[in-house]
Amino acid sequence: MNKIKIAIQKSGRLSEQSTELLKESGIALNNGDRRLIAVASNFPLEILYLRDDDIPQYVADNVADIGIVGENIIMEKPFAVNTVLKLGFGKCRLSLAIPRNEEYISSEYFNGKKIATSYPGILKKYLKSKSLNAEIHEISGSVEIAPGIGLADAIFDIVSSGSTLISNGLKEVEVVAKSEAVMITNQNLSKGKIDLLDKLLFRIRSVQTAKINKYILLNAPNHNLKEIIKIIPGMKSPTVMPLAEPGWSSVHSVLKESEFWEIIDKLKDLGAQGILVIPIEKMII
Ligand code: PRT
Ligand code: ZN
């Protein structure tokens, strides 16, 4: 019987959302304590809990078949893995930052400067692409304190909210790359494992699609029904049912969350009433 092994982060910024994604995909884990391995009870899946930095190598070496990892790790060092899906969480950027009071006009600033980072590979490529000559000082943690203690003039590090930079008196001046959690796979999966992977990816995509869409119900005056239907076309077309009150219909459809506020305003202008917007759990299109 075929089984697929997925490596996810044991504890850290990606671990909770990686587990959550599996759960939302209908995968029940029978071992909640995250020792090393968990087995799904309703899908032929085994979960390996590892340090994020180790995941690409384990997947390349076939210890795990697939894995969830930050793109920054596979950007820093090439591994023999395929990236098959962006997962939409763990979003961050890799940026250059300098002391807040320094004047900054262009990336020329970095010529002759010393930059501390845990991502020398990505930084080196960037400097080369801009024909900049800077000294890279590789350190493994607390990069943000390097300028303050005189170890470097600037840093190149992961930024998400930016508060770490602010509290260390630094400002972000160049965004070099963007990253989010991605699904990676071994490059030589068997046919059986590819079938399981496809099933899993189908489930994950359905969850992702559901998250960016909302189910909408509203009461529409019949004289504006055509206009209202044009604004909320839905998956195929909206469901329209007559209300008990003459001259009114109930309209059910699906809309993108990102377009939500703009559409709601238009619907109100067209006389729509009793608008309900409901989250969707899964969406198969
Ligand atoms: O133990 P293990 O090795 O597994 O974990 P880790 O400590 O190496 O990684 P972890 O859990 O910190 O991060 C895992 C992944 O999350 C990273 O590889 C990124 O892909 C992603 N990610 C998203 C981040 C951040 N956001 C982030 N903000 N990783 C790190 N940070 C750090 C950053 O290094 C800096 O120190 O948070 C600080 C900046 O945060 P802000 O919000 O103050 O800007
Ligand atoms: Zn790590």
Side-chain angles (χ1 to χ4, degrees), residues 10 28 59 64 69 72 122 159 197 234 257 280:
K10 185 175 167 70
V59 172
V69 71
N72 49 296
I122 301 171
V159 180
L197 172 64
E257 177 151 45
I280 301 171

Side-chain angles (χ1 to χ4, degrees), residues 109-215:
Y109 174 91
F110 293 102
N111 265 323
K113 295 283 199 300
K114 197 171 180 184
I115 310 170
T117 187
S118 312
Y119 292 90
I122 301 171
L123 179 58
K124 205 169 161 189
K125 257 195 217 151
Y126 170 79
L127 294 173
K128 199 169 168 216
S129 75
K130 297 268 173 186
S131 307
L132 296 169
N133 259 314
E135 186 188 331
I136 300 177
H137 190 87
E138 186 177 350
I139 49 178
S140 59
S142 305
V143 172
E144 63 280 357
I145 64 167
I149 59 171
L151 193 65
D153 304 303
I155 67 162
F156 175 63
D157 199 11
I158 292 184
V159 180
S160 51
S161 69
S163 56
T164 303
L165 294 184
I166 290 172
S167 55
N168 284 282
L170 300 169
K171 63 179 175 188
E172 185 177 7
V173 291
E174 297 287 346
V175 176
V176 172
K178 288 195 170 155
S179 169
E180 66 184 86
V182 289
M183 174 82 80
I184 54 169
T185 71
N186 179 273
Q187 292 178 333
N188 300 302
L189 292 180
S190 66
K191 167 86 175 66
K193 290 195 177 187
I194 289 174
D195 287 348
L196 288 176
L197 172 64
D198 286 345
K199 268 191 194 157
L200 184 63
L201 290 176
F202 171 76
R203 291 187 184 198
I204 293 175
R205 286 198 185 100
S206 304
V207 173
Q208 287 180 329
T209 314
K211 274 188 186 159
I212 56 170
N213 286 283
K214 299 276 174 215
Y215 191 77

Side-chain angles (χ1 to χ4, degrees), residues 22-147:
L22 295 177
K23 281 194 192 148
E24 287 171 337
S25 304
I27 289 162
L29 306 180
N30 60 8
N31 171 356
D33 61 3
R34 298 180 159 261
R35 280 188 185 179
L36 178 62
I37 296 180
V39 180
S41 55
N42 58 355
F43 194 88
L45 181 79
E46 210 170 274
I47 296 103
L48 304 182
Y49 297 105
L50 301 171
R51 287 201 54 194
D52 65 344
D53 320 69
D54 296 336
I55 291 174
Q57 195 61 56
Y58 275 82
V59 172
D61 291 346
N62 234 333
V63 177
D65 301 305
I66 63 177
I68 295 178
V69 71
E71 277 176 300
N72 49 296
I73 293 180
I74 47 178
M75 278 188 242
E76 174 60 22
K77 207 174 132 195
F79 292 92
V81 297
N82 294 338
T83 301
V84 292
L85 188 65
K86 291 195 184 244
L87 298 172
F89 60 87
K91 287 192 178 176
C92 54
R93 38 196 201 275
L94 287 131
S95 295
L96 280 157
I98 63 171
R100 191 176 42 215
N101 300 327
E102 288 280 306
E103 193 190 353
Y104 186 83
I105 295 161
S106 76
S107 56
E108 304 267 303
Y109 174 91
F110 293 102
N111 265 323
K113 295 283 199 300
K114 197 171 180 184
I115 310 170
T117 187
S118 312
Y119 292 90
I122 301 171
L123 179 58
K124 205 169 161 189
K125 257 195 217 151
Y126 170 79
L127 294 173
K128 199 169 168 216
S129 75
K130 297 268 173 186
S131 307
L132 296 169
N133 259 314
E135 186 188 331
I136 300 177
H137 190 87
E138 186 177 350
I139 49 178
S140 59
S142 305
V143 172
E144 63 280 357
I145 64 167

